Amino acid sequence: MFSLYELEFHFRYVKNLWNSIVDYFNQVKGLFASFKFIDAIDIFFVAIVLYLVIRIIRETRAIQLIKGVIFFAVLYFLVSFLGMGASSYILRAIFSNILLIVVVLFGPEIRNVLEQVGKGAARTSLRTILNPGVAVEANEMRKTIDATCKACVEMSDAKIGALIVFEHETLIGDIIASGTVLKAKASRELIQNIFFPKSPLHDGALIVRDGVVYAAGCILPLSHDNSISSDLGTRHRAAIGITQQSDAIAIVVSEETGAISIAKNGSLQRNLTSGDIRDILTEAFIDSTASEGGILGKLVRRNKNNG
């Protein structure tokens, strides 16, 4: 049983909460009462600007930082609403310098936004606002996985080095921008030709996006983990590096031994068979999405082919 003091405390809490809700809706009501046509234009303009900014930076890892900032913003709202003084003070100190924090965290992306606007990319993006997007069906992804496995086996037998990255949820548009965009249907022959020793693109990484050979000759960040075995070369370190910075999956064919390895979540599995690779890729890109509403729900990437 609650004591009289506890009942009084809960009653005051509920009353204050109800008054806060009523005040909020009264403010909203007053806002709509004074709403004018120019306000609608203002809101539309702000929405367009935000859309264009997000569109330009969405294929960089900065989008993950934005999610973190949004999380702290929601947290700040909650602690302020609940009257948590110490937490509110700490978060208020952080957000009082939010402009400086944004400049430090998103300096390269801000510069990229300004460059893209100057090149007219924003105007191009505006024409694609109503684009319905694209989707990858499971059978297309299976064909891509099958072509990749067959190509890796043949390159392994011939001891041809290769580095293939399957993009997942974290977009790596900044990595793609470092190479040559192909947007070609995946096939065993195409993958082998890209990594043929005399090919101009064989030194870089091949990026698979939504079941398509999206780009080749891409430069990946190298891992600086000192625990990595010294007998691993640049390709293996690059494979580990990209999987440390994103949720991509990278396949490596060793030029020296022909061994096939796969990097995932910053760790490397070595000496795998084509069946092992097929199982790992199928689990990541087909099986795991089927339980979440199907491959279409997982791999839909709005407007990506126009980016």
Side-chain angles (χ1 to χ4, degrees), residues 42-52:
D42 186 24
I43 294 174
F44 178 76
F45 176 76
V46 171
I48 292 297
V49 170
L50 290 177
Y51 170 82
L52 295 178

Side-chain angles (χ1 to χ4, degrees), residues 26-46:
N26 286 336
Q27 292 176 6
V28 173
K29 181 179 179 181
L31 179 63
F32 279 100
S34 60
F35 193 80
K36 300 178 182 178
F37 178 72
I38 192 66
D39 296 323
I41 297 178
D42 186 24
I43 294 174
F44 178 76
F45 176 76
V46 171

Side-chain angles (χ1 to χ4, degrees), residues 146-302:
D146 184 62
T148 302
C149 293
K150 290 179 179 179
C152 287
V153 169
E154 296 194 13
M155 290 187 292
S156 173
D157 293 338
K159 292 188 177 181
I160 295 176
L163 177 53
I164 304 171
V165 177
F166 277 73
E167 182 188 63
H168 209 344
E169 290 300 303
T170 302
L171 302 183
I172 52 175
D174 50 343
I175 301 297
I176 289 175
S178 68
T180 301
V181 175
L182 301 176
K183 294 184 181 179
K185 185 176 181 179
S187 68
R188 173 181 55 82
E189 295 80 6
L190 174 61
I191 296 174
Q192 286 183 266
N193 284 335
I194 289 175
F195 290 108
F196 185 72
K198 295 186 182 297
S199 168
L201 300 176
H202 80 282
D203 277 336
L206 183 154
I207 308 297
V208 176
R209 166 183 280 184
D210 292 348
V212 174
V213 175
Y214 203 88
C218 299
I219 301 173
L220 304 185
L222 298 180
S223 174
H224 299 290
D225 188 351
N226 294 327
S227 64
I228 297 176
S229 175
S230 59
D231 64 334
L232 296 179
T234 303
R235 283 193 180 92
H236 293 84
R237 287 187 173 273
I240 297 173
I242 189 62
T243 60
Q244 286 175 335
Q245 298 185 16
S246 70
D247 60 354
I249 296 178
I251 304 170
V252 186
V253 179
S254 173
E255 188 174 356
E256 289 76 21
T257 64
I260 304 175
S261 304
I262 196 164
K264 182 180 179 182
N265 298 326
S267 62
L268 188 71
Q269 301 179 49
R270 306 174 66 180
N271 301 317
L272 301 179
T273 65
S274 62
D276 296 330
I277 298 174
R278 182 178 282 103
D279 290 342
I280 293 173
L281 294 178
T282 299
E283 180 182 4
F285 294 96
I286 298 177
D287 293 345
S288 63
T289 59
S291 61
E292 299 175 11
I295 188 72
L296 295 180
K298 188 75 171 182
L299 295 179
V300 167
R301 305 295 185 110
R302 293 185 58 84

Side-chain angles (χ1 to χ4, degrees), residues 21-203:
I21 295 174
V22 171
D23 290 340
Y24 174 77
F25 281 102
N26 286 336
Q27 292 176 6
V28 173
K29 181 179 179 181
L31 179 63
F32 279 100
S34 60
F35 193 80
K36 300 178 182 178
F37 178 72
I38 192 66
D39 296 323
I41 297 178
D42 186 24
I43 294 174
F44 178 76
F45 176 76
V46 171
I48 292 297
V49 170
L50 290 177
Y51 170 82
L52 295 178
V53 171
I54 293 174
R55 179 178 173 80
I56 292 173
I57 70 171
R58 64 178 179 155
E59 296 195 14
T60 69
R61 290 182 293 275
I63 198 67
Q64 306 300 324
L65 295 176
I66 291 177
K67 293 178 181 178
V69 172
I70 293 175
F71 170 78
F72 278 104
V74 173
L75 184 62
Y76 175 62
F77 172 78
L78 289 176
V79 298
S80 298
F81 180 78
L82 297 175
M84 301 169 64
S87 300
S88 298
Y89 175 80
I90 295 174
L91 292 175
R92 192 181 304 115
I94 294 175
F95 281 99
S96 63
N97 300 302
I98 189 63
L99 182 60
L100 178 61
I101 294 174
V102 167
V103 171
V104 172
L105 291 178
F106 303 108
E109 285 72 26
I110 293 173
R111 183 171 61 252
N112 183 47
V113 168
L114 296 177
E115 290 176 354
Q116 295 294 333
V117 171
K119 294 177 182 177
R123 293 190 296 273
T124 302
S125 300
L126 187 60
R127 292 196 298 268
T128 63
I129 290 177
L130 299 179
N131 188 287
V134 294
V136 177
E137 296 187 6
N139 61 340
E140 291 299 323
M141 180 59 75
R142 286 194 181 93
K143 291 179 181 179
T144 300
I145 293 174
D146 184 62
T148 302
C149 293
K150 290 179 179 179
C152 287
V153 169
E154 296 194 13
M155 290 187 292
S156 173
D157 293 338
K159 292 188 177 181
I160 295 176
L163 177 53
I164 304 171
V165 177
F166 277 73
E167 182 188 63
H168 209 344
E169 290 300 303
T170 302
L171 302 183
I172 52 175
D174 50 343
I175 301 297
I176 289 175
S178 68
T180 301
V181 175
L182 301 176
K183 294 184 181 179
K185 185 176 181 179
S187 68
R188 173 181 55 82
E189 295 80 6
L190 174 61
I191 296 174
Q192 286 183 266
N193 284 335
I194 289 175
F195 290 108
F196 185 72
K198 295 186 182 297
S199 168
L201 300 176
H202 80 282
D203 277 336

